[in-house]
Amino acid sequence: MFSPSIRSLIEEKAGSFIIPASRIAFVEDENPLYHAFLILTKMKYSKIPVLDKNQKVVGLISLSMITDKMLTPDNIVIEPLSDLKVKDVMQTDFETINFAHTNLETQLHLLVDNPFIPVVNDNNIFQGLLTRREWIKAFNYVTHSIDDKYDITKKSDPSEAS
Amino acid sequence: MFSPSIRSLIEEKAGSFIIPASRIAFVEDENPLYHAFLILTKMKYSKIPVLDKNQKVVGLISLSMITDKMLTPDNIVIEPLSDLKVKDVMQTDFETINFAHTNLETQLHLLVDNPFIPVVNDNNIFQGLLTRREWIKAFNYVTHSIDDKYDITKKSDPSEAS
């Protein structure tokens, strides 16, 4: 069971743990790979969302997905950067979160295996990102505020009874 | 104040939140940049530690640090991959954790701005990594176990007194 006191503390801050779409670097699926190479190199993000022209999230792309296309058995080549589009190399198997339907347990569980999860609305339109970084901040808040708001006492351990 | 009950739960699991050095991909400072490009592309890690020949942590390197060297004003070039060494492009300003001296508060604080922190011993020899992923697991454990081991009751709020 997810602790009710911790849930309550996190819900006080609900909404502050998402990074809004307006602050996030992304590329479009029809962009040449060259463009994603530049964005990822300059922004220094390891992976970013890919949107279609309607702002729907259609994939994720990282530098290693791009550089992998540049490897040949005996050389590194730059032609794929102009020959391919983002949609040709992006990851299309990924999780999304819709705050209307995804509870805290599931959010936390998804972040074990994903550094970030795109947040979408019911029309799959990109709303922002939920990130491990923001959950580390949430955890930091919980560890420093729970004792101000709750009395916490250790339960007696039956195995320690003499 | 860091919650004593949460501290106790995390310390029960102490040591299980570090990924040991034997399981971590790294490169050496004298490796050609080409080698780091291959390792980072194939392992898909966004950033890895750089060790010297004595297993001391001397830097961190990411794909974007490498691809940044491949950008010229009007082209992308591959020559820097053979002309440069890892030590020429790695980040040398980074935090480390020594479990003998770094408390939980500091560990959590450092992970807000770093996806991982190299763990070293008193001789600066690489021991492993502390990662956001492992702390997300720790948080998951805390949220699901704290109510089994502690009685938690909301403090009365003086502002709600009638």
Side-chain angles (χ1 to χ4, degrees), chain A residues 18 49 55 81 108:
Chain A
I18 179 181
Q55 303 289 300
L81 297 181
L108 192 53

Side-chain angles (χ1 to χ4, degrees), chain A residues 4-23:
Chain A
S5 54
I6 292 178
R7 180 193 309 280
S8 169
L9 287 169
I10 289 175
E11 287 179 347
E12 277 175 26
K13 296 273 181 178
S16 66
F17 298 127
I18 179 181
I19 304 177
S22 60
R23 283 179 42 210

Side-chain angles (χ1 to χ4, degrees), chain A residues 13 16 22 30-32 76-77 82 84 103 113 117 126 136 138:
Chain A
K13 296 273 181 178
S16 66
S22 60
E30 294 288 345
N31 287 154
I76 291 172
V77 294
S82 41
L84 297 175
N103 64 22
D113 287 321
I117 315 277
F126 183 51
I136 293 288

Side-chain angles (χ1 to χ4, degrees), chain B residues 35-36 39 47 63 67 73 94 102 105 110 129-130 149 157:
Chain B
H35 180 70
I39 295 283
K47 195 183 265 193
L63 262 179
T67 54
F94 62 96
T102 315
E105 286 90 324
L110 287 172
L129 296 183
L130 187 78
K149 305 198 175 184
D157 183 346

Side-chain angles (χ1 to χ4, degrees), chain A residues 55-70:
Chain A
Q55 303 289 300
K56 290 184 198 285
V57 187
V58 293
L60 303 176
I61 190 164
S62 68
L63 262 180
S64 63
M65 292 175 200
I66 300 175
T67 55
D68 192 58
K69 298 296 178 187
M70 299 167 69

